[in-house]
Amino acid sequence: MKSIVILISGRGSNMEAIVNACQREGWPARIAAVISNKASASGLQLAAGLGIATAVVDHKAFDSREAFDAELARVIDGYQPDVVVLAGFMRILTEGFVRHFEGRLLNIHPSLLPKYKGLHTHRRALEAGDAEHGCSVHFVTEELDGGPLVVQAVVPVAPDDTVESLAQRVHQQEHLALIHISE
């Protein structure tokens, strides 16, 4: 059975989708811990309420990105995960961190990579007049949003879409795409 550590920065809806899949769909996986860089992340309360171990490594408590990543890696390693999933974790990770978890670090990104790496993906897709948008689950490499793809989910862009309406439909697909992390 695979052991998964999930990293979050906010409400944890993608984390919740992973947890639900583990419980309902009979995945050969278990959630070892949910870790956030923000003590205020509401997803931590959700995870704790489900009996999942939680931890906080506050990035603001460190003088450098490298120091934060070293402590984050130490905390993650304590749970001995087979897979580490970035599920709304809003930090760019150092090369050393990425190398430490190479081949075990997955991210969910709200675009059809390689299009729209980084932030504001829904707005960028609308401004470009794209006919379709979506999300990607990919392995994390040293290149921002540039690692090998695991799966993508496509969402058609409607003529009356707003950033919010498109984001909502993409987010629904993120939850479905995440089922591939246990494979």
Side-chain angles (χ1 to χ4, degrees), residues 72-136:
L72 181 60
R74 187 193 69 73
V75 172
I76 293 168
D77 284 344
Y79 294 100
Q80 302 178 327
D82 298 304
V83 179
V84 178
V85 179
L86 309 178
F89 187 68
M90 301 306 291
R91 299 287 302 165
I92 295 175
L93 300 164
T94 60
E95 291 179 5
F97 183 94
V98 171
R99 279 194 304 272
H100 181 77
F101 293 105
E102 185 174 359
R104 300 186 293 148
L105 191 58
L106 293 168
N107 183 43
I108 180 79
H109 182 74
S111 80
L112 296 172
L113 292 172
K115 281 183 130 178
Y116 311 124
K117 296 177 180 184
L119 301 173
H120 311 294
T121 62
H122 312 304
R123 177 184 50 77
R124 291 160 61 197
L126 290 172
E127 288 174 354
D130 290 351
E132 57 187 23
H133 189 46
C135 63
S136 304

Side-chain angles (χ1 to χ4, degrees), residues 16-87:
E16 185 177 15
I18 297 167
V19 170
N20 288 340
C22 282
Q23 294 173 343
R24 285 190 302 223
E25 297 176 23
W27 273 10
R30 69 175 186 83
I31 308 304
V34 174
I35 302 171
S36 181
N37 62 312
K38 296 180 177 182
S40 63
S42 58
L44 290 171
Q45 294 172 351
L46 176 63
L50 294 169
I52 299 169
T54 63
V56 175
V57 181
D58 185 347
H59 64 277
K60 293 179 182 176
F62 296 88
D63 293 333
S64 70
R65 189 178 299 272
E66 290 76 15
F68 167 72
D69 281 6
E71 178 61 12
L72 181 60
R74 187 193 69 73
V75 172
I76 293 168
D77 284 344
Y79 294 100
Q80 302 178 327
D82 298 304
V83 179
V84 178
V85 179
L86 309 178

